[in-house]
Amino acid sequence: MFFLFSDILLYTSRSQATLQFKVHGHLPLRGVLLQEPEGELANYGFIIYGGNRALTVAANCQEEKDRWKEDLQSAVQQARDKPDAKVTYLSLKSSSSSDEIMDQCGTDVGTQTKPALQRNNNTIHVCWHRNTSISMKDQLIAVEVVININFKIFS
């Protein structure tokens, strides 16, 4: 699963045992290039270049591919348009969980009790189980709907 932020693209996999995502790597968006592949992947696939990495991805349909590319290109352009601020990232390869990062930051995670696993119906889990993706536009519409519903309830 990919997580697209305003300045970075994370690529992850999900652990079936812990139901958490493990980060395999990241690509700063300022250096990302998209390219159409040749051959079999030309229909629904494209290549994401970032630094010394190349990720070949394939969507389920042309519409999904177009949404992915539109969101990626938009985020890349916005990242390039921002003033060049030096951003330092923690090493994602050296940490297997957020607990380790918290330990490195000085928080004693070992004394906290972990909550029991519960079923999550957030966007990430729904997309994972349905093997689908949503565009940034779709996510913004969903947030707007929730805000409008909450506004009507509390008005």
Side-chain angles (χ1 to χ4, degrees):
M1 183 173 276
F2 291 88
F3 293 91
L4 178 61
F5 296 97
S6 62
D7 62 342
I8 195 168
L9 176 68
L10 298 178
Y11 48 101
T12 69
S13 65
R14 185 157 179 206
S15 165
Q16 294 301 324
T18 62
L19 302 179
Q20 295 179 342
F21 292 92
K22 179 180 179 184
V23 175
H24 293 288
H26 65 281
L27 301 174
L29 292 181
R30 285 180 174 262
V32 166
L33 298 171
L34 303 179
Q35 181 181 11
E36 293 288 330
E38 295 178 7
E40 198 175 301
L41 286 173
N43 291 335
Y44 303 138
F46 60 96
I47 303 170
I48 304 170
Y49 290 101
N52 60 352
R53 297 184 191 253
L55 302 173
T56 303
V57 296
N60 291 321
C61 63
Q62 187 64 41
E63 179 186 4
E64 187 176 60
K65 175 185 173 180
D66 292 342
R67 288 187 302 174
W68 283 2
K69 287 182 63 178
E70 180 182 325
D71 286 349
L72 271 169
Q73 289 170 334
S74 175
V76 166
Q77 190 59 50
Q78 288 176 17
R80 289 179 181 162
D81 290 345
K82 288 182 183 176
D84 191 16
K86 184 70 176 165
V87 178
T88 305
Y89 296 104
L90 292 172
S91 173
L92 296 173
K93 288 186 174 185
S94 65
S95 299
S96 63
S97 73
S98 60
D99 290 349
E100 290 179 25
I101 293 172
M102 293 299 287
D103 285 340
Q104 292 171 1
C105 294
T107 304
D108 186 12
V109 178
T111 60
Q112 299 174 358
T113 59
K114 293 190 178 187
L117 291 177
Q118 58 182 336
R119 182 175 177 193
N120 291 317
N121 287 329
N122 62 34
T123 306
I124 294 169
H125 289 93
V126 171
C127 287
W128 180 263
H129 288 290
R130 293 185 180 177
N131 193 23
T132 190
S133 60
I134 59 170
S135 68
M136 184 167 48
K137 181 179 174 183
D138 294 336
Q139 179 68 20
L140 292 173
I141 290 170
V143 170
E144 186 177 321
V145 167
V146 169
I147 290 171
N148 288 336
I149 289 171
N150 287 336
F151 179 76
K152 288 177 184 177
I153 291 172
F154 295 112
S155 295

